Amino acid sequence: MSKKIKINHIRNIGIIAHIDAGKTTVTERVLYYTGRSHKIGEVHNGEAVMDWMPDEQERGITITSAVTTCHWKDSQIQIIDTPGHVDFTMEVERSLRVLDGAIGVFCAVGGVEPQSETVWHQADKYQVPKIAFVNKLDRIGADFFGTVEMMKERLNAHPLIMQLPVGAEDNFAGVIDLIEMKHIVWDDDTLGASYQAIDIPDEFIEKAHKYRDQLIEAVAEHDDDIMEAYLAEAPIDPEDLCAVVRKATIQLKLVPVLCGAALKNKGIQPLLDAIVRYLPSPVDIPPIQGHNPDTGESLECKAVDTNPLAALIFKVSMIEGRKLSYVRVYSGRLKAGEEVYNPSLKKKEKLSRILQMHANKRERVDTAGAGSIVGVVGLKLSSTGETLCTSDRPVLLENIEFYEPVISVAVEPKTHADQEKLEQVLEKFVLEDPTLRVRKDEDTGQTILSGMGELHLEVIISRMQREFNTLVNVGKPQVVYRETIKTEAEASVVFDKEITGQRQFGDVTLRLKPLARGAGIRFKSEVAEETIPAGFVPAIEKGVRESLESGTLLGYPVVDVEAALTGGSFKESLGTELAYTVSASMACKEALAKGDAYLLDPIMNVEVFVPEAFVGDVIGDLNARNGKIEAIESQMGTQVIKATVPLARMFGYSTSLRSATQGRGTFTMQFSHFDRA
């Protein structure tokens, strides 16, 4: 890298949106105008730089979040282009965890769609400041102000209109900048690379003044000086206005709204200016909090190169058979060839190389300072969500929460050669994707893959064949259920056996009690020290928890139960941890069998978008699938039906929805909770 960029000139941003709002198209333009790409890659031709996986190019969707670095004016922008499809929510979640700012891209025709809502709330959860970009203003049915209203209603956001579109649909002819009060027009011959600011056309002057007044009024609420100038009707310097907008954006009080048409190359350069102008650098946001793994004391990791190292691995991918870890450096410096410490594993690892990422192309660098997002080669043991630091100043950053998979398929290798490859290939996928689970079914010997949805598993199987040349037969998708009990039950088990010449004794009485939905698993001990010494209680809890990993009905994990240790006995010098673990596990299985176990279905939140004429048919179909209709809202000419439906009844739904609505209905589905169907 030529010159070192100051940390306050770094912007770590993500582009978040619903599937098809134009995230990748926006990113491609950003890369072109910042000189990172020499031609514009288009999603519809399968040529987008950021969608470099063959599966992404074929399906025209983003599956993995790609990282890239580009420069605009004197700032360095590190961008993560995230997926919009609900099956890849985890990719978005872990990207947002390490970003300082985000751009929400909205389609001017579809407005705020369900997945935009999900990712927006994920960004709120991590308190990420945001800018909104209303895209596709050249499309028929585009409604800029309608989209802004929907942002207020659906996202609880405070949108601040910074630009007005000039014309709409086919007549879309640039934007009016309300800060500088200029009309920005783009030159089609240079693919939008050259643009100019001209006077606002007469017919738009009145409207521009009206919205500029609204802008100043909204900003004045956050600054006394601007409030005074506004009330005195004094002129306000654009620089002062921008400074207050920046402050309010970083404090999550306002969301600047810009607009354009990325496919027509309009609106991107002002968006880049806005990223630099309004989104925070790593030093503008509160330092990340961690804790000392040994003492538990809280530690603040300031974004300073000279501080001790604190970095988070937010993603791992296998590229050409080598493990590449994506790391966000929060404080301190990473240096190639040096050792780092992983406090979760209590192990040291060596960094062999540090790479500046550009989608799937990479550039070697020697060091990476605070605020950087880089790829690291050489970490053998560390995985997603783990912290890297130094052994003399250990710090543990908050891990990333992962979602539980809800759908599974059985896979079998087609040939003996595939059999050998299958395990290694799956191991690589599990490393890359924490929402993917792999287990062996003891009864059938099949390998069971569990994931977030049908598309998620489809993509994994397609990648197996394509990237690793591993051919498999795939069973029908199966639902991943949970089990729980209806009634309280108790069981006692004595384990008294000689193992490798040593007598092992454990005697445990357990009571299992059903809990409310979503309560999880609880364990408590109600026995006195003289009945069973406290030193054996952790071994008993371990036996209980292991036993609850597979229930007595169909072997699914058991949830929402409380296990209480209510009795047992102890024999001096014969009691061992192993014996208590085994007896607790056996007692737990016995109590489960007595507790009248039943299955819990994964219940999904489903939103169906249909034209008015088909609402009756769609509701009838959802009712037939045991769905509960929760709301029907009308939105921009379509009806949105919100319902909860058991996942087991949703297989093949896209086909029947298409035939019921002449191909005009669409739906999104997301896991809600487990419950009895």
Side-chain angles (χ1 to χ4, degrees):
M1 212 177 269
S2 45
K3 64 180 200 308
K4 182 167 168 3
I5 298 271
K6 287 194 182 130
I7 188 161
N8 57 342
H9 287 245
I10 292 177
R11 299 287 180 273
N12 290 317
I13 60 157
I15 298 193
I16 57 173
H18 186 85
I19 188 164
D20 263 356
K23 292 179 302 306
T24 304
T25 306
V26 168
T27 314
E28 293 300 321
R29 301 304 183 275
V30 166
L31 297 182
Y32 181 67
Y33 299 134
T34 55
R36 209 49 178 110
S37 311
H38 301 298
K39 68 175 226 175
I40 296 179
E42 297 295 8
V43 179
H44 52 259
N45 303 338
E47 286 175 0
V49 176
M50 300 298 271
D51 287 352
W52 52 272
M53 278 169 59
D55 273 286
E56 295 180 311
Q57 292 169 353
E58 255 178 33
R59 296 167 196 267
I61 60 170
T62 303
I63 292 170
T64 63
S65 32
V67 180
T68 194
T69 310
C70 56
H71 294 92
W72 182 250
K73 301 199 170 157
D74 57 357
S75 293
Q76 174 177 313
I77 302 176
Q78 308 190 79
I79 303 175
I80 300 187
D81 173 29
T82 62
H85 198 285
V86 62
D87 284 13
F88 307 105
T89 305
M90 193 59 232
E91 278 287 319
V92 183
E93 178 100 6
R94 57 184 178 180
S95 305
L96 285 171
R97 169 74 168 75
V98 297
L99 291 172
D100 305 329
I103 301 169
V105 177
F106 299 99
C107 165
V109 183
V112 177
E113 295 163 289
Q115 191 57 18
S116 323
E117 218 173 316
T118 308
V119 289
W120 192 271
H121 294 317
Q122 280 176 308
D124 284 340
K125 177 169 124 187
Y126 291 118
Q127 295 194 311
V128 177
K130 295 169 283 292
I131 293 179
F133 181 72
V134 179
N135 190 21
K136 303 194 178 183
L137 282 167
D138 56 323
R139 290 262 306 273
I140 293 173
D143 180 355
F144 173 71
F145 296 105
T147 304
V148 173
E149 279 310 307
M150 281 176 81
M151 285 177 66
K152 290 181 194 165
E153 283 163 31
R154 292 195 145 204
L155 306 175
N156 262 342
H158 299 288
L160 181 69
I161 296 177
M162 311 287 287
Q163 293 179 342
L164 295 178
V166 175
E169 301 181 356
D170 287 350
N171 304 320
F172 176 61
V175 301
I176 290 171
D177 175 356
L178 295 176
I179 297 258
E180 301 286 352
M181 287 301 270
K182 286 287 185 192
H183 175 199
I184 304 174
V185 288
W186 279 268
D187 175 13
D188 289 338
D189 297 337
T190 61
L191 292 177
S194 60
Y195 58 102
Q196 50 186 351
I198 57 174
D199 289 337
I200 299 172
D202 292 345
E203 69 265 32
F204 284 99
I205 283 280
E206 198 181 316
K207 189 176 183 184
H209 279 296
K210 175 186 150 193
Y211 278 98
R212 182 168 200 216
D213 281 350
Q214 287 183 11
L215 169 88
I216 294 172
E217 196 179 324
V219 173
E221 286 177 23
H222 302 279
D223 186 88
D224 295 344
D225 294 347
I226 287 185
M227 180 62 90
E228 275 174 32
Y230 174 64
L231 294 174
E233 295 187 7
I236 295 170
D237 187 291
E239 285 304 310
D240 297 342
L241 211 49
C242 287
V244 180
V245 173
R246 174 183 179 79
K247 196 171 113 193
T249 304
I250 293 173
Q251 292 171 348
L252 306 180
K253 289 179 178 156
L254 292 174
V255 177
V257 181
L258 295 95
C259 57
L263 195 63
K264 295 282 194 297
N265 310 318
K266 291 180 170 67
I268 302 299
Q269 294 92 338
L271 176 64
L272 282 162
D273 289 337
I275 291 169
V276 173
R277 215 176 263 167
Y278 307 124
L279 288 179
S281 76
V283 288
D284 295 325
I285 50 172
I288 191 167
Q289 301 293 325
H291 64 270
N292 183 318
D294 307 324
T295 63
E297 74 168 306
S298 183
L299 298 169
E300 199 174 69
C301 305
K302 285 205 170 112
V304 180
D305 283 5
T306 50
N307 275 15
L309 176 69
L312 184 81
I313 302 172
F314 65 96
K315 179 180 156 98
V316 170
S317 55
M318 303 302 289
I319 294 184
E320 292 154 12
R322 304 201 54 181
K323 180 170 160 186
L324 177 71
S325 307
Y326 290 86
V327 174
R328 160 78 199 250
V329 184
Y330 284 102
S331 82
R333 287 189 84 75
L334 280 178
K335 294 193 179 92
E338 285 199 351
E339 273 193 344
V340 288
Y341 178 67
N342 179 330
S344 315
L345 304 175
K346 297 191 166 34
K347 291 241 178 5
K348 286 185 175 174
E349 294 250 55
K350 191 166 180 184
L351 304 176
S352 54
R353 272 189 285 168
I354 300 174
L355 304 166
Q356 187 83 52
M357 303 304 297
H358 176 48
N360 63 336
K361 297 188 179 66
R362 309 171 274 291
E363 186 184 318
R364 285 177 78 156
V365 291
D366 299 325
T367 67
S372 313
I373 293 180
V374 287
V376 166
V377 180
L379 301 177
K380 292 189 170 59
L381 307 165
S382 304
S383 61
T384 303
E386 291 177 349
T387 307
L388 301 177
C389 56
T390 53
S391 48
D392 54 342
R393 276 293 305 272
V395 59
L396 203 52
L397 302 174
E398 183 198 353
N399 204 331
I400 303 171
E401 289 171 29
F402 295 119
Y403 295 95
E404 287 301 311
V406 291
I407 184 168
S408 59
V409 292
V411 292
E412 289 174 342
K414 284 196 171 170
T415 66
H416 187 65
D418 292 325
Q419 169 83 51
E420 289 168 6
K421 274 197 284 188
L422 184 63
E423 280 180 23
Q424 299 168 341
V425 170
L426 288 177
E427 210 172 287
K428 287 176 179 163
F429 282 137
V430 171
L431 254 181
E432 277 190 17
D433 184 349
T435 55
L436 185 71
R437 305 284 160 85
V438 177
R439 67 179 176 86
K440 262 276 196 302
D441 187 316
E442 297 305 321
D443 303 332
T444 62
Q446 284 175 314
T447 302
I448 309 290
L449 279 191
S450 308
M452 300 297 292
E454 287 184 81
L455 180 66
H456 184 198
L457 295 177
E458 248 177 61
V459 166
I460 292 288
I461 286 151
S462 160
R463 286 183 61 198
M464 259 189 215
Q465 298 175 355
R466 191 171 255 153
E467 289 172 35
F468 299 97
N469 208 3
T470 309
L471 300 176
V472 289
N473 294 320
V474 184
K476 273 208 180 94
Q478 302 287 330
V479 176
V480 180
Y481 294 97
R482 294 286 183 270
E483 298 185 14
T484 191
I485 52 171
K486 201 182 289 178
T487 54
E488 209 170 288
E490 197 167 73
S492 302
V493 167
V494 178
F495 179 85
D496 190 353
K497 280 206 172 102
E498 197 166 294
I499 301 174
T500 61
Q502 185 194 354
R503 191 167 156 214
Q504 313 237 9
F505 176 85
D507 171 13
V508 170
T509 303
L510 282 180
R511 181 185 70 237
L512 293 187
K513 182 173 106 181
L515 295 175
R517 286 294 73 82
I521 292 170
R522 293 190 206 142
F523 175 83
K524 63 178 185 182
S525 170
E526 295 175 356
V527 297
E529 172 83 29
E530 51 272 16
T531 313
I532 295 175
F536 290 113
V537 172
I540 293 170
E541 180 174 356
K542 181 179 169 223
V544 169
R545 288 190 183 275
E546 281 174 1
S547 174
L548 293 175
E549 280 171 15
S550 65
T552 49
L553 272 180
L554 295 171
Y556 290 107
V558 178
V559 293
D560 305 339
V561 293
E562 179 184 83
L565 173 61
T566 55
S569 64
F570 170 69
K571 288 189 179 170
E572 194 65 58
S573 80
L574 297 179
T576 64
E577 286 189 357
L578 173 69
Y580 277 105
T581 299
V582 174
S583 57
S585 175
M586 290 159 72
C588 187
K589 281 274 183 267
E590 211 172 290
L592 279 176
K594 291 179 186 170
D596 203 1
Y598 62 92
L599 285 183
L600 294 174
D601 283 78
I603 307 292
M604 310 302 278
N605 281 334
V606 178
E607 288 199 357
V608 190
F609 298 77
V610 287
E612 185 97 45
F614 304 108
V615 169
D617 296 348
V618 171
I619 289 177
D621 183 40
L622 288 172
N623 285 334
R625 294 171 189 270
N626 282 359
K628 277 198 189 105
I629 308 296
E630 308 216 314
I632 300 171
E633 295 170 2
S634 94
Q635 172 192 318
M636 291 190 181
T638 52
Q639 298 293 319
V640 185
I641 302 165
K642 298 184 177 185
T644 53
V645 192
L647 174 64
R649 306 298 298 271
M650 287 299 288
F651 289 134
Y653 182 63
S654 51
T655 316
S656 56
L657 179 66
R658 270 199 294 265
S659 58
T661 60
Q662 298 170 6
R664 290 164 65 195
T666 57
F667 79 105
T668 65
M669 176 166 83
Q670 221 163 339
F671 173 70
S672 166
H673 62 284
F674 281 99
D675 207 346
R676 201 161 186 176

